[in-house]
Amino acid sequence: MESHEQQFLILNEPMIVGAMISIVVGALSILLGLTYFKKWGYLWREWITTVDHKKIGVMYILVALVMLFRGGVDALLMRGQTAMPENGLLDAQHYNEIFTTHGVIMILFMAMPFIIGLINVVTPLQIGARDVAFPRLNSVSFWLFAAGAGLFNISFIIGGSPDAGWSAYFPLASLEFSPTVGNNYYSLSLQIAGLGTLMTGINFVVTILKMRAPGMTLMKMPMFTWSVLITNVIIVFAFPVLTVALALMTMDRQFGTKFFAMQDGGMDMLWANLFWVWGHPEVYIVILPAFGIFSEIISTFARKNLYGYKSMVVSMVAISLLSFVVWAHHFYTMGHGVMVNSIFSITTMAIAVPTGVKIFNWLLTLHKGKISFTTPMLYSLAFIPIFTIGGVTGVMLAMASADYQYHNTMFLVAHFHYVLIPGTVFAVIAGFHFWFPKVFGFRLNEKLGKLAFWFITISFNVAFFPLFILGLNGMTRRMYTYSESTGYGPLNMLSFIGAVGLGIGFIILVYNLYWSIRYSPRDETGDPWDARSLEWATHSPVPVYNFARVPKIKELDAFWFAKKNNQPLSDGPYEPIHMPSNSGMPFLMSGAFFAAGFCAVFSWWIPAIVFTIAIFVFMALRSFEQDHGYYISVEEIERTERELGGDKE
Amino acid sequence: MKIDESLPLEYSTEENRLKILGFWIFLGAEIALFSTLFAVYFALENRFGTGPSAQEIFHMPPVMIETILLLTSSFTIGLGIHAMRLGLKKAMMTFFVITLVLGLGFLGVEIYEFVTYVNEGATIQTSAFLSSLMTLLGTHGLHVTFGLFWGTSILLQVRKRGLTPQTANKSFIFSLYWHFLDVVWIFIFSFVYLKGLMVL
Amino acid sequence: MMKQLFPKQHVMGFVFSLVLSVVALSVLAFDMSYKMGMAILLVTAIAQASVQLLLFMHIGESEDKKTLYTNIIYALFVGVVTILGTLLTMIWGYQ
Ligand code: HEM
Ligand SMILES: [Cu+2]
């Protein structure tokens, strides 16, 4: 048995020690490399202090890819452990830690940043803006997210990982039953990252509402921009709930309050309630932008405008409201009455309707289109049937009485992976391939892209379809092993093989990145896919100021019609462009957040308070700072445009 | 920076208008935050375990003083913004100072109230009811505390730099924050104290 | 000068909010049913919040007023759903 003593460095697990050593070696070699190639200045000036939405987006995606790797290794370990009955790869405690970190990382540190990264790169370009509404705040958002992700990830070597599941239900997550600092990491790191996300939400709502190019009314916005708007509205109103829930968790665990306690009037299930009040909207936060991405890709490669634009918008608005009234479907079996379960059953089924509307819209967009089967399009096409399976099993789970059968079984695990992987992972990969040339000026290799696609899609089904059957046969989730007599062995082995295939698919994807950076031909046009929306109207890579002249919009897909009719989107002389200046403050302030969070994890209150004061000092400095940005002169615009191959619009 | 003369200073630049809208949306998030705290409080208000109940610890006099102080401060900051729009820097600063002093008074009484509770054996660890009560009040109190520092820093900037589009914008946004805290207090006053003391 | 510094609207708003607080206090002064008391509290609190929002915060003065109203309504929707929904699942509907 594992000892539950509190340790500072985790030294009794060979696997963790190995990881620790490789992290230290990796970090050291990066530091040495930066010094050797004299890149510190470059890193600081061009990336760490940047307020450019495109670079911030790239950094988000970079972190997300690293986290995909980390979460993926966790997943492989779990599938490896359960591949055979009574396997000894992981013990119970280690398995608990790994499904917890896998879930948290995949949702909060992989899916969220990947999506927010794409939002950052694309949204301002799609609406013809020079940057986001609050560029400095955007940098703060990113660095807070990075601080949160960093804090969460060091848990497994310093102090121990959280082990109460990604949903961290009480009483299991209470100090009594989870005495290590693991769950302190959970509450504090998610708190820090969540603050960053909330600021992103505010930033993009204002950006989209106030900074669209002249003539672009709301109903002329690209569908991705619409999805971003709705997503960020949900973020603004859902994340405060998480903030409160996490704060109460911290207080219960570290200050002895009784919110979720089992005595003195506490109510353990109140945590589950709050968690899912945030949690269900969160599901739509990661799914709606994906819908937007697929809409763009499908209409681009079917060479048709999106079918039913209005119904798409209406269904998203409906989802944004309905997503707040379904949360109790996550705990039908908690013990509340028939009335409550019926209400939430009905709202849950209702939310399937607008989602279904969207599926039909995509199908009708494809209908009679001239489809080109590029890599992003393949992901979008595969998404439709796979996501539909996820959706249909979701409706099965939505029926409260039937859920007593499925609840907490592998059926549920299969369901949510069938929703999250096509819905979010396929979408971000498709978007990654689609917008990559915009940011870097060359496309990813299509052959390797397609190879990865087939690996990922087929392996995904091999990995997860068996789980439906296992679930119906009674295998529960979060179960670290089982006896041979259960008969679960063969299907679990099959699932493991699928998981390995998925891993290979992701490796090919990363290899493609490397290959394309070295060998891919440059795209001179700025519009390699012959696409429809404004981001393709400027150069690739995009100059800092995005558009030399702000485009004027007359219709939806204005760029497409401008191309077809050979009419420029803008004219007239260049004017000096006002840009925000870079700043190192967001980075430093997030450093203080990280330090304060770390100290608070271990209840070292005095240093934690000192670092918290530092945070406020940074805020005060910012308040007194007078920063009016700078102007890019007309000559410089002309020079840049010439270098990038001439006036685009 | 393009300055639109037809609008009040705080709205006069594009950046200013973005900031005001952004802050309103932040207040939307704050509504969600306080609603969640209220939800927790309502779920736990009758679960006082072996500790005291609401009826036993609430006293109206300090609460009334707090209410009057905060309502008045909300009024004075409104006057401050009004003076600012008339370009009366001195009057504006005076109203802001009064507002902050009233806020400080509120905070003083609230701290007194907390000390009284603790002396009566009602701490944040005593029961779920008290945990939720003190967290709700404490969150509001922390907002007020933050506001005192923020308001002071804005006052210093106005004194140094005069009424510019930037300082006017900050002052206006601060006034939104302060009014919002008053709104939250009204709900605490009504649905924590008065509801708690209502004879059933 | 006084007239200029103390506009009538603001003064009236302030007096109104004081009056509303006193009305709210009446739930303690008079013997009334729980429902009646809650009704009074709801009405006075909402009226007070509206005074702040409309009079003091000038929600309707800018070009973005539609957005601002939508924002507040959305926030109230989420807030009310969170409060009533939590009470429904955790208290009223619990067996
Ligand atoms: C890449 C392939 C993936 C594999 C092979 C995989 C595998 C697994 C496994 C084996 C479990 C635990 C089952 C159990 O014992 O209860 C799990 C749980 C989970 N996975 Fe994945 N997963 C993958 C990707 C993802 C992605 C992309 C997401 C989210 C975007 C995700 C979110 C989750 C969540 C939230 C849990 C629940 C954790 C918990 O029980 O607390 N997974 N996954
Ligand atoms: Cu849900």
Side-chain angles (χ1 to χ4, degrees):
Chain A
M1 265 309 284
E2 176 81 7
S3 80
H4 275 284
E5 265 171 59
Q6 182 68 54
Q7 291 178 309
F8 190 67
L9 283 179
I10 305 296
L11 295 172
N12 57 350
E13 275 275 348
M15 240 187 277
I16 293 180
V17 175
M20 202 183 310
I21 292 168
S22 52
I23 289 173
V24 171
V25 171
L28 274 181
S29 51
I30 291 175
L31 295 183
L32 277 176
L34 283 170
T35 314
Y36 184 78
F37 293 106
K38 303 212 171 56
K39 288 287 185 198
W40 282 107
Y42 165 80
L43 198 65
W44 177 260
R45 278 189 313 275
E46 297 292 321
W47 293 96
I48 292 177
T49 60
T50 190
V51 293
D52 181 339
H53 69 96
K54 303 175 284 293
K55 287 186 176 166
I56 289 178
V58 169
M59 291 193 289
Y60 265 116
I61 293 173
L62 210 66
V63 178
L65 281 173
V66 174
M67 290 295 112
L68 178 64
F69 182 73
R70 156 92 211 255
V73 170
D74 284 348
L76 271 177
L77 283 172
M78 283 188 289
R79 286 284 98 207
Q81 161 64 22
T82 48
M84 285 175 296
E86 311 203 28
N87 201 0
L89 180 65
L90 304 173
D91 60 34
Q93 172 62 20
H94 202 171
Y95 193 85
N96 292 350
E97 291 175 11
I98 285 188
F99 69 65
T100 304
T101 54
H102 166 79
V104 173
I105 285 179
M106 282 298 198
I107 302 237
L108 286 141
F109 299 125
M110 190 287 287
M112 288 291 280
F114 215 134
I115 278 168
I116 292 179
L118 288 171
I119 289 177
N120 260 287
V121 171
V122 179
T123 316
L125 294 171
Q126 275 200 337
I127 61 173
R130 292 263 152 72
D131 206 317
V132 294
F134 312 113
R136 177 80 76 96
L137 190 68
N138 202 18
S139 167
V140 174
S141 286
F142 170 73
W143 288 111
L144 283 184
F145 153 72
L151 192 59
F152 189 82
N153 274 281
I154 57 168
S155 67
F156 85 109
I157 40 177
I158 306 179
S161 298
D163 56 2
W166 90 285
S167 44
Y169 274 15
F170 277 78
L172 179 58
S174 68
L175 193 61
E176 193 180 351
F177 297 105
S178 295
T180 72
V181 293
N183 266 76
N184 300 351
Y185 271 113
Y186 175 98
S187 62
L188 291 159
S189 64
L190 297 196
Q191 189 69 280
I192 294 172
L195 281 176
T197 309
L198 178 60
M199 292 176 199
T200 301
I202 294 170
N203 212 339
F204 278 90
V205 170
V206 178
T207 305
I208 295 175
L209 289 179
K210 296 282 280 182
M211 296 177 71
R212 299 189 307 275
M216 185 184 279
T217 56
L218 283 178
M219 293 311 268
K220 289 178 187 154
M221 294 196 310
M223 192 48 64
F224 178 67
T225 302
W226 256 113
S227 73
V228 173
L229 176 62
I230 302 289
T231 303
N232 284 290
V233 168
I234 303 181
I235 287 181
V236 167
F237 297 108
F239 266 75
V241 182
L242 179 69
T243 303
V244 171
L246 292 171
L248 303 190
M249 173 186 263
T250 302
M251 305 241 300
D252 257 18
R253 287 182 53 85
Q254 298 184 268
F255 298 103
T257 54
K258 299 294 186 307
F259 293 102
F260 312 124
M262 293 196 299
Q263 70 287 341
D264 298 327
M267 205 190 243
D268 47 4
M269 284 306 289
L270 186 59
W271 162 267
N273 182 70
L274 294 179
F275 181 85
W276 288 112
V277 170
W278 160 80
H280 193 88
E282 165 68 14
V283 173
Y284 279 90
I285 292 169
V286 295
I287 238 31
L288 284 178
F291 289 174
I293 294 171
F294 289 133
S295 300
E296 299 291 318
I297 292 176
I298 289 176
S299 75
T300 299
F301 295 111
R303 308 267 169 253
K304 280 175 67 184
N305 56 354
L306 194 63
Y307 181 89
Y309 179 94
K310 262 199 203 131
S311 61
M312 283 287 220
V313 172
V314 171
S315 59
M316 276 198 291
V317 174
I319 287 176
S320 80
L321 292 169
L322 284 172
S323 71
F324 281 98
V325 296
V326 298
W327 75 88
H329 63 210
H330 291 275
F331 44 85
Y332 283 139
T333 57
M334 177 178 91
H336 37 213
V338 181
M339 191 237 327
V340 176
N341 276 357
S342 312
I343 292 173
F344 283 97
S345 238
I346 291 167
T347 54
T348 303
M349 288 185 216
I351 207 170
V353 176
T355 315
V357 168
K358 303 174 82 72
I359 300 268
F360 284 107
N361 282 333
W362 290 313
L363 290 176
L364 288 165
T365 308
L366 288 167
H367 181 63
K368 291 198 176 154
K370 287 196 283 297
I371 298 173
S372 36
F373 293 93
T374 58
T375 310
M377 187 62 164
L378 286 178
Y379 281 105
S380 314
L381 293 175
F383 152 78
I384 296 175
I386 301 179
F387 186 80
T388 306
I389 297 180
V392 170
T393 49
V395 176
M396 290 167 70
L397 289 160
M399 291 178 271
S401 39
D403 186 54
Y404 275 80
Q405 279 301 313
Y406 313 130
H407 188 69
N408 269 354
T409 65
M410 278 299 177
F411 187 86
L412 170 75
V413 174
H415 152 70
F416 67 66
H417 285 89
Y418 259 81
V419 183
L420 282 167
I421 291 189
T424 303
V425 180
F426 282 21
V428 293
I429 298 177
F432 182 73
H433 282 82
F434 187 57
W435 282 302
F436 189 87
K438 189 79 269 175
V439 177
F440 294 102
F442 56 90
R443 275 192 272 188
L444 293 171
N445 181 276
E446 278 287 297
K447 229 187 201 152
L448 284 170
K450 285 178 190 166
L451 185 67
F453 163 77
W454 286 112
F455 254 99
I456 288 175
T457 307
I458 294 173
S459 314
F460 164 73
N461 286 290
V462 177
F464 288 99
F465 203 84
L467 301 192
F468 281 125
I469 303 167
L470 282 170
L472 293 179
N473 285 347
M475 180 174 175
T476 57
R477 75 191 284 205
R478 296 174 178 172
M479 196 166 90
Y480 90 106
T481 195
Y482 49 88
S483 73
E484 189 164 3
S485 59
T486 56
Y488 299 152
L491 283 175
N492 271 306
M493 178 53 92
L494 186 62
S495 168
F496 172 62
I497 294 168
V500 172
L502 265 170
I504 296 174
F506 286 119
I507 288 172
I508 300 175
L509 199 142
V510 173
Y511 175 72
N512 189 6
L513 196 60
Y514 163 80
W515 193 93
S516 306
I517 289 173
R518 296 206 55 172
Y519 305 112
S520 209
R522 300 207 55 78
D523 157 52
E524 307 285 344
T525 61
D527 179 22
W529 308 111
D530 192 15
R532 311 177 77 85
S533 42
L534 272 188
E535 72 269 34
W536 306 102
T538 184
H539 304 279
S540 323
V542 185
V544 243
Y545 48 74
N546 291 357
F547 298 91
R549 277 184 303 255
V550 175
K552 294 188 183 62
I553 306 304
K554 287 199 252 359
E555 65 247 292
L556 177 65
D557 290 341
F559 173 59
W560 176 259
F561 291 106
K563 273 195 293 192
K564 297 301 136 187
N565 307 333
N566 247 325
Q567 276 169 346
L569 276 172
S570 65
D571 46 31
Y574 294 139
E575 279 168 37
I577 297 174
H578 181 248
M579 296 299 291
S581 11
N582 284 1
S583 165
M585 213 113 89
F587 177 74
L588 298 175
M589 188 168 98
S590 304
F593 262 102
F594 179 88
F598 182 77
C599 297
V601 163
F602 290 92
S603 306
W604 299 334
W605 298 117
I606 289 169
I609 290 169
V610 171
F611 285 116
T612 308
I613 291 173
I615 296 169
F616 286 106
V617 170
F618 279 117
M619 284 163 76
L621 285 175
R622 168 60 173 157
S623 176
F624 280 92
E625 181 185 0
Q626 280 181 304
D627 164 32
H628 298 305
Y630 67 99
Y631 278 90
I632 301 180
S633 66
V634 171
E635 298 82 69
E636 201 181 327
I637 301 172
E638 279 168 352
R639 181 154 35 80
T640 316
E641 291 290 304
R642 222 177 309 116
E643 274 165 19
L644 288 169
D647 192 324
K648 277 282 318 181
E649 297 138 34
Chain B
M1 196 92 38
K2 259 185 257 141
I3 297 185
D4 186 339
E5 306 280 355
S6 70
L7 292 170
L9 265 186
E10 64 270 24
Y11 284 101
S12 61
T13 68
E14 181 62 24
E15 195 181 330
N16 279 3
R17 291 191 288 274
L18 292 180
K19 284 188 174 153
I20 291 173
L21 178 62
F23 196 78
W24 271 102
I25 299 198
F26 172 73
L27 289 184
E30 288 270 54
I31 292 179
L33 183 124
F34 278 104
S35 301
T36 312
L37 285 169
F38 272 108
V40 170
Y41 176 77
F42 292 145
L44 300 176
E45 65 181 330
N46 294 322
R47 301 173 64 108
F48 40 80
T50 51
S53 69
Q55 298 265 352
E56 285 161 5
I57 57 167
F58 288 170
H59 308 290
M60 266 336 260
V63 177
M64 277 321 286
I65 297 173
E66 285 168 277
T67 306
I68 290 168
L69 287 175
L70 215 55
L71 275 180
T72 313
S73 78
S74 186
F75 172 58
T76 55
I77 198 159
L79 297 177
I81 294 301
H82 182 74
M84 182 179 90
R85 288 190 171 172
L86 298 172
L88 304 170
K89 177 178 153 189
K90 203 99 169 264
M92 176 247 183
M93 288 183 59
T94 314
F95 281 127
F96 266 59
V97 170
I98 297 175
T99 304
L100 295 179
V101 170
L102 290 170
L104 197 64
F106 169 86
L107 208 60
V109 182
E110 184 157 62
I111 290 171
Y112 162 81
E113 191 195 330
F114 267 56
V115 171
T116 318
Y117 290 160
V118 172
N119 286 341
E120 289 170 6
T123 74
I124 199 166
Q125 301 179 332
T126 308
S127 67
F129 155 65
L130 286 167
S131 299
S132 64
L133 172 74
M134 292 188 171
T135 305
L136 174 57
L137 297 180
T139 308
H140 177 266
L142 280 178
H143 274 75
V144 173
T145 314
F146 179 79
L148 294 180
F149 284 103
W150 185 17
T152 311
S153 116
I154 288 173
L155 259 178
L156 292 175
Q157 292 175 40
V158 172
R159 197 179 67 174
K160 210 165 97 190
R161 297 174 191 157
L163 291 175
T164 66
Q166 284 78 31
T167 54
N169 184 244
K170 287 181 189 186
S171 310
F172 181 70
I173 288 176
F174 176 70
S175 81
L176 292 180
Y177 179 78
W178 200 263
H179 290 307
F180 174 75
L181 292 185
D182 191 45
V183 174
V184 174
W185 180 259
I186 290 162
F187 281 86
I188 292 179
F189 170 69
S190 307
F191 296 105
V192 174
Y193 294 109
L194 293 183
K195 176 169 175 271
L197 283 177
M198 240 163 34
V199 261
L200 298 183
Chain C
M1 193 63 189
M2 280 312 266
K3 245 199 166 139
Q4 209 189 357
L5 283 180
F6 295 86
K8 210 166 136 203
Q9 254 197 350
H10 282 242
V11 178
M12 294 293 285
F14 179 51
V15 173
F16 189 48
S17 61
L18 287 178
V19 171
L20 283 169
S21 307
V22 174
V23 175
L25 262 180
S26 73
V27 300
L28 299 188
F30 302 105
D31 202 9
M32 62 177 78
S33 71
Y34 178 74
K35 273 196 184 134
M36 183 67 194
M38 284 303 282
I40 292 178
L41 290 180
L42 264 177
V43 171
T44 52
I46 291 171
Q48 287 236 41
S50 311
V51 169
Q52 297 284 333
L53 219 57
L54 302 172
L55 263 178
F56 293 162
M57 295 167 89
H58 311 284
I59 187 170
E61 75 182 358
S62 80
E63 56 184 15
D64 297 318
K65 69 169 177 232
K66 264 198 215 145
T67 311
L68 299 190
Y69 280 119
T70 316
N71 175 45
I72 296 296
I73 291 169
Y74 204 111
L76 291 177
F77 166 75
V78 173
V80 169
V81 163
T82 307
I83 293 173
L84 294 184
T86 298
L87 288 174
L88 178 69
T89 53
M90 303 309 299
I91 308 224
W92 301 330
Y94 211 81
Q95 282 176 334

